[in-house]
Amino acid sequence: MTIANRPNTRADGRTAAQLRPVSFQLGVQKWAEGSCIIAFGDTRVLCAATIADRVPPHLRGKGTGWVTAEYSMLPRATAERTDRESVKGKLGGRTHEIQRLIGRSLRDAVDLTRLGERTITVDCDVLQADGGTRTASITGGYVALAAAMISHGMDRHLVARVAAISVGLVGGEALLDLDYSEDSRADVDFNVVGTDGGTFVEVQGTAEGKPFDRAAMDGLMDLASSGLEQLFAAQAEILATVRR
C-alpha cells in the first residue's frame, strides 16, 4: 500500500497535511501549580499539574522524582452520555492504557534524577471529544507540566518538549490530525509521540483495514513529524508567557 497525498480538502476545509486549529488557555485552575485547556479543533482537554513533595514507595530514599498522569472523559464529552468510571468502580482498559501512555510520554520531558523526591501528577480531563483525545492530552499535559515547573523555578529540570499527533490513511489518502469522522473510518491509524530533539517516545500504529507497507509507514511518520514541529512551536510560544 502506498500513500496518496492529494491536494483535496477535507470536510472541515483543511488540506491533508494541515492541523486543526490548536490553542492553549493557561491558568484555568486557581489551585493547580500549572494548568491549561488545550483545543485541537473541537477536542478540548483540561490539563492540570500538581507538584507534591513525595514519591511512590519504590522510589523513597533514592533521590529521584516521578511524573505520572490520570485521564478521564466527562460524561457528555461525547455525542451520547457515558457513565463515569468512578460509578463503575474501576478504570476501563482504554482509560488505563491512555493514562499510562501520557505518563510515559511526560516522563521523557523531565530529568527525574535532578527533580528530587517530588512527584508531578498531570490530570487530563476531556471536556469535549472529536478525535485525538490522547494526543491532545499529551500535548496539553506537557504545557501544564512545564508551566508548573517554570512558575516554581524548576524549569532547569525540563530536558525536552513533548507533543503527540495522529496520522492515518483514509480512503488511501494520508491525513494529519484526524478528527472523529476520519478516525472512525481510517484504514490505518497512527498516534505518534515525539520530542523537539527529533526523537520518538512512542508510536502506536494499527491497520484497521488493509495492511500497510514500509513506504506507507515512512510517509505517515514524515507527516507526523511535520505536525509535531508545529506543536512544539505552539508550546514554546505559550510557555514564553509563563512567569516565575
Side-chain angles (χ1 to χ4, degrees):
M1 179 182 288
T2 58
I3 294 178
N5 273 312
R6 299 185 293 273
N8 298 350
T9 57
R10 297 146 79 172
D12 58 6
R14 288 185 290 151
T15 62
Q18 189 173 5
L19 292 172
R20 289 176 285 180
V22 177
S23 65
F24 302 92
Q25 181 184 355
L26 283 175
V28 294
Q29 287 197 301
K30 179 177 180 178
W31 306 113
E33 282 80 357
S35 65
C36 76
I37 292 176
I38 181 173
F40 270 30
D42 286 337
T43 290
R44 299 173 67 242
V45 183
L46 168 63
C47 304
T50 300
I51 302 174
D53 291 327
R54 59 179 181 273
V55 290
H58 70 281
L59 292 177
R60 288 176 189 162
K62 296 184 178 180
T64 190
W66 190 242
V67 175
T68 188
E70 292 189 12
Y71 168 95
S72 68
M73 188 175 293
L74 297 184
R76 283 316 308 265
T78 51
E80 296 182 359
R81 186 185 186 278
T82 55
D83 290 337
R84 297 178 192 272
E85 290 182 322
S86 59
V87 173
K88 299 176 183 178
K90 64 177 182 179
L91 292 181
R94 177 181 180 276
T95 298
H96 189 64
E97 181 241 329
I98 290 175
Q99 67 182 30
R100 290 189 66 186
L101 169 64
I102 299 168
R104 285 196 303 273
S105 301
L106 297 182
R107 281 194 285 276
D108 277 356
V110 181
D111 184 347
L112 299 176
T113 64
R114 298 175 59 195
L115 186 61
E117 294 201 358
R118 299 184 179 93
T119 294
I120 303 177
T121 303
V122 180
D123 292 292
C124 300
D125 292 286
V126 179
L127 306 176
Q128 186 167 279
D130 185 31
T133 63
R134 73 186 68 195
T135 56
S137 295
I138 292 167
T139 305
Y142 171 78
V143 169
L145 168 75
M149 295 183 69
I150 293 168
S151 62
H152 286 72
M154 294 189 289
D155 46 308
R156 64 190 181 279
H157 304 320
L158 289 168
V159 294
R161 285 194 289 275
V162 173
I165 196 64
S166 65
V167 288
L169 293 178
V170 182
E173 184 174 14
L175 302 180
L176 178 68
D177 188 18
L178 308 184
D179 63 21
Y180 178 76
S181 68
E182 295 165 338
D183 182 63
S184 62
R185 57 189 175 90
D187 298 314
V188 176
D189 182 18
F190 272 54
N191 292 301
V192 181
V193 186
T195 74
D196 63 336
T199 57
F200 296 103
V201 178
E202 189 149 341
V203 177
Q204 300 175 336
T206 304
E208 304 288 354
K210 296 179 181 179
F212 54 91
D213 59 23
R214 177 64 178 268
M217 183 173 70
D218 290 346
L220 288 172
M221 291 300 294
D222 289 342
L223 187 59
S225 294
S226 71
L228 289 173
E229 288 300 321
Q230 296 174 66
L231 294 176
F232 296 139
Q235 289 174 327
E237 182 178 359
I238 191 65
L239 289 169
T241 68
V242 177
R243 306 294 182 198
R244 287 197 180 193

